[in-house]
Amino acid sequence: MNDERFQKTELAVWVGIALHVALACLKGVVGFMAQSNALLADAAHSASDALSSADALIRLRTTKMPPEETYPYGQGKKVSTATILLSIVIMVVGAQMGISAIKSIWFDVEHAPKVYALVAIGISLFVKEIMFQYTYRLGKRLGSKELIANAWGHRSDIYSSIVALIGIFGSLMGNYLSLPFLYYLDPLAGLFVSLFVLRMGYLLVKEALHTKMDYVLQKEDAADLIAAVQAVKGVITVDDLRAREHGHYVVVDIKISVNPRVSVWEGHEVSKKVKQHLMKRFHHVSDVFVHVAPYDAGYPYKNNSDTELNEFPSVFH
């Protein structure tokens, strides 16, 4: 990922975190004053989305770090551990909001929330839609899977606000129509939103565990990578390619064969071209490790290689 693209992606994630925190504070304060379980649960969902975006930022910055000497995929494991911890926090918050909503239903609901709770929900929906459109379009333009995934996180937060809106509006209609049983719509909406929060935490844990297993791409998924490497000047064959997923990014470990008559410098130049080509063509590739080996023309080496090796491509062919 080049510096300009990285800076734009990082800025978009930071904006998302700031807006989610602001919305969580707004809905938390208004929800407490308006005595609305649905709005408080939606505030918890926005806070969870802020944590999710923070996790995305951690993974994004990890892709810019140099790999560990002992194991080049170690940084991904550290990120997975951080993700699991954040996910536990999210699920605890979701469980607490769900328990609070159940208690409100169990001990009877005597009144509807205040009208100004609708204003907070309206502001939340407007801001979230702007966040989704901005992040999604930027992600498409930059070819960033991380930003696109983050944008859909904003969209899921919109759905939770819609559920909260239905609950608050229905409860207020109960107050207007003198139908006390409609008061229960507010805590019921809060219960549903808490399930959204629990689901978000579960999905983050699932993705983190998937990453810790060092998932290796299937052969059909790596076919495009192999074809791209074979198109680089100086590469005779691709002997091995392993592409490991870390979150929304991929780390490629590849072994290539070059003309055994080329110099060490030429072999190094071929490896640099392979890395640059893959990272430029595939935006989801965060790093490439290239191992260069001399091409084995077969045995007996002298009998069949002297005339053939000159035909093999080098850096300057």
Side-chain angles (χ1 to χ4, degrees):
M1 184 183 294
N2 59 54
D3 290 338
E4 182 181 358
R5 178 170 171 265
F6 177 81
Q7 290 172 2
K8 290 181 179 179
T9 302
E10 185 180 37
L11 177 61
V13 177
W14 269 117
V15 169
I17 292 173
L19 289 176
H20 278 305
V21 170
L23 288 176
C25 293
L26 172 67
K27 289 185 286 189
V29 172
V30 175
F32 179 77
M33 295 174 60
Q35 299 181 336
S36 170
N37 286 98
L39 193 56
L40 287 172
D42 197 36
H45 194 280
S46 290
S48 301
D49 230 347
L51 289 176
S52 177
S53 296
D55 173 67
L57 182 62
I58 292 172
R59 283 187 276 112
L60 183 67
R61 287 186 168 183
T62 301
T63 63
K64 298 292 288 183
M65 296 179 182
E68 297 179 356
E69 293 182 1
T70 55
Y71 188 58
Y73 309 113
Q75 293 291 353
K77 293 181 177 293
K78 293 179 181 178
V79 175
S80 299
T81 302
T83 300
I84 291 174
L85 293 176
L86 289 174
S87 303
I88 292 173
V89 173
I90 290 174
M91 288 191 287
V92 168
V93 171
Q96 288 181 338
M97 297 311 303
I99 292 172
S100 177
I102 292 173
K103 285 182 177 179
S104 296
I105 296 172
W106 184 263
F107 292 107
D108 199 11
V109 183
E110 299 178 352
H111 55 79
K114 306 299 181 182
V115 178
Y116 51 80
L118 287 177
V119 178
I121 285 290
I123 293 173
S124 176
L125 286 170
F126 178 73
V127 172
K128 288 175 185 177
E129 183 60 26
I130 292 177
M131 289 167 62
F132 170 76
Q133 294 295 337
Y134 166 71
T135 309
Y136 184 78
R137 292 180 182 182
L138 182 62
K140 280 289 188 181
R141 188 167 70 250
L142 297 178
S144 171
K145 289 188 176 182
E146 192 69 52
L147 273 184
I148 294 174
N150 199 241
W152 284 110
H154 300 328
R155 176 51 59 89
S156 69
D157 207 23
I158 289 177
Y159 298 146
S160 72
S161 291
I162 290 175
V163 173
L165 174 64
I166 293 172
I168 295 171
F169 181 77
S171 186
L172 288 171
M173 288 300 296
N175 187 47
Y176 178 76
L177 300 173
S178 299
L179 298 173
F181 69 89
L182 291 179
Y183 295 166
Y184 288 92
L185 289 176
D186 180 71
L188 279 174
L191 180 60
F192 274 106
V193 174
S194 69
L195 295 177
F196 280 127
V197 177
L198 287 171
R199 178 178 178 273
M200 180 185 296
Y202 165 76
L203 292 177
L204 284 173
V205 168
K206 182 180 178 181
E207 181 179 354
L209 292 176
H210 175 80
T211 301
K212 284 188 74 67
M213 286 166 32
D214 273 348
Y215 175 70
V216 180
L217 296 182
Q218 299 297 322
K219 289 184 178 180
E220 55 270 20
D221 298 323
D224 290 341
L225 295 172
I226 294 175
V229 174
Q230 289 175 331
V232 175
K233 291 182 179 181
V235 176
I236 297 177
T237 62
V238 177
D239 300 318
D240 188 31
L241 185 145
R242 296 178 182 273
R244 301 173 186 269
E245 284 189 346
H246 289 296
H248 300 286
Y249 291 95
V250 171
V251 176
V252 178
D253 199 332
I254 186 169
K255 181 179 179 181
I256 62 173
S257 290
V258 300
N259 188 338
R261 291 180 177 273
V262 301
S263 66
V264 174
W265 177 82
E266 286 182 300
H268 179 66
E269 287 299 304
V270 172
S271 69
K272 284 173 59 179
K273 288 179 182 293
V274 168
K275 179 174 181 177
Q276 293 169 358
H277 182 60
L278 287 181
M279 295 187 69
K280 183 177 180 180
R281 179 171 176 181
F282 302 96
H283 295 300
H284 62 291
V285 174
S286 63
D287 207 350
V288 180
F289 300 93
V290 184
H291 307 271
V292 180
Y295 178 73
D296 185 1
Y299 181 83
Y301 185 83
K302 276 290 184 181
N303 291 344
N304 62 8
S305 62
D306 285 344
T307 57
E308 294 178 3
L309 285 176
N310 291 328
E311 299 177 1
F312 290 145
S314 70
V315 177
F316 306 107
H317 79 111

